[in-house]
Amino acid sequence: MYDAPHYTRQETGVTDVKIKAQDVQVYYGDNHAIKDVTVDIQDKTVTAFIGPSGCGKSTFLRCLNRMNDTIDICRVEGDIRIDGDDIYDKRVDPVQLRAKVGMVFQKPNPFPKSIYDNIAYGPRIHGMARNKAEMDDIVERALRRGAIWDEVKDRLQAPGTGLSGGQQQRLCIARAVATEPEVLLMDEPCSALDPIATAQVEELIDELRQNYAVVIVTHSMQQAARVSQKTAFFHLGNLVEYDDTSKIFTNPEDSRTESYITGRIG
Amino acid sequence: MPLLWLFLIVLAIAAGAYVLARVRVLAMAGENRRALHSLPVYYGSNAAMKSGVPALLVLAVWLVAQPLVIDTIASGHIPDSAIAETTSRGLVMAEVRRTADGIDMAIASGELSETAARDPQADIEDLSARLSDAGAILTSEITPPVFRAAQELRALSAVGTQAMTIIVVLIALFGALWALRETKPDFRARNVVEQGVRGLLIAAASIAILTTLGIVLSLVFNTVEFFRLYPASEFFFGTNWAPSFSGRGGASDLGIVPLLWGTFYISLVALIVAVPIGLFAAIYLSEYASPKVRAVAKPLLEVLAGIPTIVYGLFALLTVGPLLMRVFGDEGLGWMQAGTAVMTAGLVMGIMLIPFVSSLSDDIINAVPQALRDGSYGLGATQSETIRQVVLPAALPGIVGAILLAASRAIGETMIVVLGAGAAARLSLNPFDAMTTVTAKIVSQLTGDSDFASPEALVAFALGMTLFVITLGLNVFALYIVRKYREQYE
Ligand SMILES: Nc1ncnc2c1ncn2[C@@H]1O[C@H](COP(=O)(O)OP(=O)(O)O)[C@@H](O)[C@H]1O
Ligand SMILES: [Mg+2]
């Protein structure tokens, strides 16, 4: 990130705005995938993005850590600020930004390395540990936050790819947590998991809320209702409705939202 | 011509059977296709298959077997006394065959009548004159036993060919009738035809496997033969390669060590050139190059792979050798005596292997799932960190496999060595010395007029066998590694 005002961890105020997006447009070549999206994402809150598939949830999520930069044909317009700093400013290095805005993907994607090296990967790249003891510490803390420490503490040198699907996904969450992000983006993190693993990850998400702003894309409305405090409903690239989760699921304002949550669009 | 005719006749019978079976089954079903078990095509194919395939098989076997059988019979007409000291039965039989061919030619050109040719009392001198008039090439005077054997040969061939024609046509007709008889609407023609197709596939696979087996066996037998004439320990551990050709006499030194050393050294130089360049090119092409650059650069690299190795050899001889001479030769550093050297061949072979390494590595790097790259970018890694720490480690086993495959190609390469490295078998550490490899020596042992039964010629098989074992081992190892790596993502 550039030298100007640094991000500071907000200690107080559960309702502080962490991410402010205004009039965001995303194009894949000629395909206008995100249209005029304006949304304020709050710190220490789980925000769920729901909507029928292809409506642009992932696309918008990937704008928040500039992962779309890795797609050649993708063009992002509009204004996205984290803690008031424009993340699309020319002086911002997207690589540095991604260390601050961690991401967990739909399919668990542990690197073909040991469990320890999977976690240590980010901290090593960003020079977060001065010696082995510090690194051990970081790895243990991240694995504990990922709620997987007890299961792997005896086999840290075993390959991460040898874990079960649910364990792999928690490993990936721990890996993202290890770089000390401020925001955690999750793109359908449970869609490849069985119900028990899903429950474990959901529980983990709820714990993560104490430290991070969490944004989760999900196609399961029950999951959105269970884990999130705020919900955004996307439809055909538009942000149709954004409100408290309880309000969205009990008393939506827009007829499209209502159709979707009652199962008529999908 | 008759053979081609016979072939066409069989095909015609098969085609007829096809049409008849189709017509018949449709007629039996009253033009109601739904009453048929299979599509009409399958009934036709079944009939064509049953009339054509056995007939053609018998034809093929007959064509191979007939000359063998007839040769044996005709050879019985030559008494041992008629075979001179200096020749062998095989050579006399070759003469018999030439005479028979000559008689055929003379008859075709009208010099000789069929009856005259069959006349057992024919005047042999007059006949020889007529044969050479007709343009037949006879190495020596025709002797009575040879002539009689030739007559026998011709008579038997004529009978055999006639019998073959009749039998093959009968088989085709019988097959066609058989198939037509079983052609009924509820006959499972589709299943039968599919079994036939499966048989065809099995036959193709067996031919490939049997041929390989045959090659290996011929290598093995000749190698065993060689070791009977030359001690194996001296072959494998001898450090001197100095074959003496039969004409000059004297014993040969046939130690493989200098050749293996040359092979190893040249391959090493080639890999030192090819692996970094090929690998870096692959990384650039798969990770950094824009689609436009890739669209141009990849085919260009593949063109490099399509250049015949003899052209690389010329390049080594005419361009790289003189260039190295200018720098390292007498006018320059003085390390190099001549343009042909390990360095010359190694450099050019390395260039030849670049596209091989790069296109294999490119495939392997592309097979690393995008999810791994995304995971790394998502943690704030740069592209080069991602490549170095995630993509390459994930692709490493596959890349090692690619390198081993490249090594086995380098070991088997011949033309570049012949033209670029010289022909001197030498044990030396200087990469600017001329050396030679196993393959190049196989060529030089078998070209020229050496006696194929001498150890100097048979050594080529022992060399080939050694090379085969080495490259087979490398390939098996490489494939094992590549396969193991594939399983990781499945
Ligand atoms: N990499 C891409 N290249 C081109 N078009 C894309 C790409 N990713 C997504 N899109 C398009 O953008 C739209 C939104 O996709 P996405 O954000 O993946 O939807 P969701 O995650 O809500 O299912 C879709 O129309 C999709 O076809
Ligand atoms: Mg998606």
Side-chain angles (χ1 to χ4, degrees):
Chain A
M1 206 59 61
Y2 55 103
D3 316 319
H6 252 285
Y7 297 129
T8 44
R9 183 63 59 87
Q10 251 118 37
E11 305 294 329
T12 53
V14 182
T15 53
D16 286 331
V17 173
K18 185 71 184 174
I19 305 174
K20 216 173 168 53
Q22 239 158 357
D23 300 327
V24 176
Q25 322 280 343
V26 181
Y27 303 86
Y28 289 109
D30 295 332
N31 177 10
H32 195 170
I34 291 288
K35 297 161 194 154
D36 279 328
V37 169
T38 297
V39 67
D40 287 349
I41 289 168
Q42 318 223 296
D43 202 6
K44 310 223 191 298
T45 303
V46 178
T47 306
F49 289 176
I50 59 170
S53 70
C55 66
K57 307 178 296 287
S58 302
T59 302
F60 186 68
L61 192 75
R62 291 160 63 93
C63 290
L64 303 181
N65 67 345
R66 295 188 58 175
M67 274 299 271
N68 285 330
D69 292 16
T70 61
I71 298 171
D72 289 332
I73 55 167
C74 185
R75 194 155 47 84
V76 179
E77 286 171 9
D79 189 63
I80 303 177
R81 289 172 184 275
I82 296 183
D83 290 333
D85 300 326
D86 181 3
I87 63 167
Y88 279 86
D89 190 287
K90 282 200 182 56
R91 288 170 299 173
V92 173
D93 178 0
V95 168
Q96 290 286 313
L97 171 73
R98 288 183 206 130
K100 299 271 178 199
V101 184
M103 186 153 195
V104 175
F105 298 83
Q106 180 166 358
K107 244 184 87 184
N109 56 351
F111 302 133
K113 300 171 180 285
S114 69
I115 292 171
Y116 185 97
D117 286 337
N118 262 282
I119 304 293
Y121 181 79
R124 270 198 196 122
I125 283 176
H126 302 296
M128 287 167 62
R130 262 165 303 166
N131 52 44
K132 175 93 170 74
E134 275 187 30
M135 185 58 83
D136 289 349
D137 211 44
I138 290 174
V139 170
E140 178 173 343
R141 228 175 328 136
L143 286 170
R144 279 188 195 283
R145 286 228 191 116
I148 190 180
W149 170 253
D150 290 331
E151 288 155 70
V152 301
K153 63 171 183 272
D154 298 325
R155 46 168 173 159
L156 291 177
Q157 295 310 322
T161 43
L163 297 172
S164 74
Q167 288 175 324
Q168 286 189 7
Q169 193 62 303
R170 279 179 286 146
L171 179 70
C172 290
I173 294 173
R175 187 176 71 185
V177 166
T179 54
E180 307 267 328
E182 296 171 12
V183 178
L184 210 49
L185 308 177
M186 301 185 167
D187 193 349
E188 303 190 17
C190 300
S191 64
L193 305 184
D194 61 69
I196 291 173
T198 300
Q200 286 167 333
V201 171
E202 282 178 4
E203 199 176 315
L204 173 58
I205 291 170
D206 201 52
E207 282 167 27
L208 293 172
R209 173 162 70 96
Q210 291 162 9
N211 297 299
Y212 312 99
V214 179
V215 184
I216 175 172
V217 170
T218 174
H219 57 222
S220 148
M221 278 168 287
Q222 292 88 331
Q223 184 170 59
R226 280 195 300 265
V227 300
S228 71
Q229 289 77 51
K230 290 281 208 175
T231 296
F233 171 64
F234 287 80
H235 187 234
L236 298 176
N238 297 301
L239 175 59
V240 174
E241 192 166 352
Y242 174 54
D243 214 324
D244 288 340
T245 300
S246 50
K247 173 120 192 325
I248 292 267
F249 282 99
T250 53
N251 187 16
E253 312 232 307
D254 197 288
S255 59
R256 285 169 293 176
T257 316
E258 192 179 358
S259 312
Y260 181 69
I261 59 174
T262 54
R264 264 171 286 158
I265 320 180
Chain B
M1 235 8 155
L3 189 60
L4 180 64
W5 276 114
L6 180 57
F7 186 68
L8 290 179
I9 288 170
V10 171
L11 286 191
I13 294 173
Y18 179 94
V19 174
L20 284 177
R22 249 190 86 118
V23 169
R24 180 177 149 90
V25 78
L26 279 175
M28 284 170 91
E31 294 297 321
N32 174 16
R33 287 180 185 229
R34 311 208 57 180
L36 298 178
H37 171 271
S38 315
L39 291 175
V41 169
Y42 285 111
Y43 293 95
S45 306
N46 174 50
M49 187 173 87
K50 285 192 174 147
S51 72
V53 172
L56 291 181
L57 272 182
V58 167
L59 178 61
V61 171
W62 195 297
L63 283 177
V64 175
Q66 174 172 318
L68 296 180
V69 174
I70 290 182
D71 248 33
T72 325
I73 298 175
S75 151
H77 286 256
I78 301 176
D80 282 337
S81 58
I83 298 169
E85 286 273 306
T86 50
T87 65
S88 65
R89 186 167 283 271
L91 288 178
V92 174
M93 276 315 292
E95 187 65 34
V96 169
R97 255 171 269 135
R98 267 197 298 274
T99 310
D101 287 346
I103 294 173
D104 284 341
M105 273 169 80
I107 291 173
S109 68
E111 282 285 340
L112 205 65
S113 67
E114 186 66 50
T115 41
R118 290 184 181 216
D119 180 8
Q121 260 72 50
D123 172 11
I124 290 179
E125 263 176 47
D126 167 57
L127 204 89
S128 301
R130 284 178 189 233
L131 291 194
S132 41
D133 279 351
I137 302 144
L138 300 170
T139 44
S140 55
E141 286 285 296
I142 301 177
T143 58
V146 167
F147 177 63
R148 231 157 288 133
Q151 278 183 324
E152 182 72 21
L153 196 78
R154 289 191 68 244
L156 284 173
S157 308
V159 172
T161 309
Q162 230 162 27
M164 173 179 80
T165 310
I166 292 167
I167 289 177
V168 165
V169 169
L170 279 180
I171 291 176
L173 285 175
F174 181 75
L177 283 179
W178 174 284
L180 282 174
R181 265 198 43 187
E182 64 184 8
T183 299
K184 297 193 185 78
D186 61 353
F187 177 62
R188 301 181 177 193
R190 179 160 66 150
N191 308 26
V192 174
V193 170
E194 272 168 15
Q195 258 171 17
V197 170
R198 200 177 69 176
L200 187 79
L201 300 181
I202 291 174
S206 328
I207 286 175
I209 291 168
L210 289 179
T211 318
T212 316
L213 209 67
I215 292 174
V216 173
L217 282 183
S218 102
L219 263 184
V220 168
F221 284 130
N222 284 297
T223 306
V224 168
E225 183 64 28
F226 168 71
F227 285 135
R228 214 171 280 147
L229 298 172
Y230 192 88
S233 60
E234 279 179 41
F235 173 72
F236 285 117
F237 302 110
T239 56
N240 192 23
W241 177 267
S244 85
F245 276 96
S246 45
R248 267 175 276 148
S252 303
D253 278 341
L254 298 173
I256 196 176
V257 173
L259 305 185
L260 279 183
W261 169 247
T263 305
F264 171 75
Y265 206 173
I266 292 174
S267 306
L268 186 73
V269 174
L271 288 179
I272 288 174
V273 173
V275 169
I277 297 180
L279 192 55
F280 292 165
I283 292 173
Y284 170 72
L285 282 180
S286 61
E287 299 286 323
Y288 291 99
S290 67
K292 263 190 219 150
V293 174
R294 203 179 143 85
V296 176
K298 247 205 129 176
L300 274 182
L301 261 178
E302 266 143 31
V303 165
L304 207 56
I307 298 176
T309 57
I310 183 76
V311 176
Y312 281 107
L314 291 178
F315 176 61
L317 186 69
L318 301 177
T319 312
V320 177
L323 203 74
L324 287 176
M325 265 310 264
R326 217 169 302 147
V327 182
F328 300 103
D330 287 336
E331 293 131 66
L333 294 164
W335 297 344
M336 205 169 170
Q337 310 308 320
T340 49
V342 167
M343 208 47 156
T344 315
L347 282 179
V348 175
M349 206 190 279
I351 295 168
M352 177 193 85
L353 291 178
I354 288 172
F356 192 71
V357 172
S358 79
S359 85
L360 275 176
S361 307
D362 186 44
D363 290 347
I364 290 158
I365 291 173
N366 274 329
V368 174
Q370 182 63 30
L372 287 185
R373 296 188 180 86
D374 284 346
S376 173
Y377 294 143
L379 291 169
T382 61
Q383 192 169 13
S384 95
E385 283 163 345
T386 303
I387 291 168
R388 259 185 299 123
Q389 302 191 27
V390 175
V391 177
L392 283 187
L396 191 65
I399 290 172
V400 170
I403 292 170
L404 289 179
L405 286 179
S408 83
R409 273 204 62 174
I411 289 171
E413 176 50 42
T414 314
M415 244 29 251
I416 295 176
V417 178
V418 171
L419 294 178
R426 185 179 289 155
L427 267 174
S428 154
L429 279 174
N430 182 358
F432 297 101
D433 271 346
M435 280 183 212
T436 194
T437 63
V438 176
T439 51
K441 276 301 157 199
I442 293 178
V443 174
S444 64
Q445 288 313 103
L446 289 183
T447 46
D449 50 357
S450 55
D451 174 5
F452 272 92
S454 69
E456 285 77 13
L458 283 174
V459 70
F461 292 101
L463 292 176
M465 191 72 208
T466 314
L467 205 60
F468 172 70
V469 170
I470 293 174
T471 45
L472 182 73
L474 269 180
N475 282 346
V476 168
F477 188 52
L479 287 179
Y480 166 75
I481 284 182
V482 170
R483 198 162 298 154
K484 203 171 151 192
Y485 147 85
R486 282 229 183 90
E487 282 163 5
Q488 265 180 28
Y489 301 120
E490 277 161 9

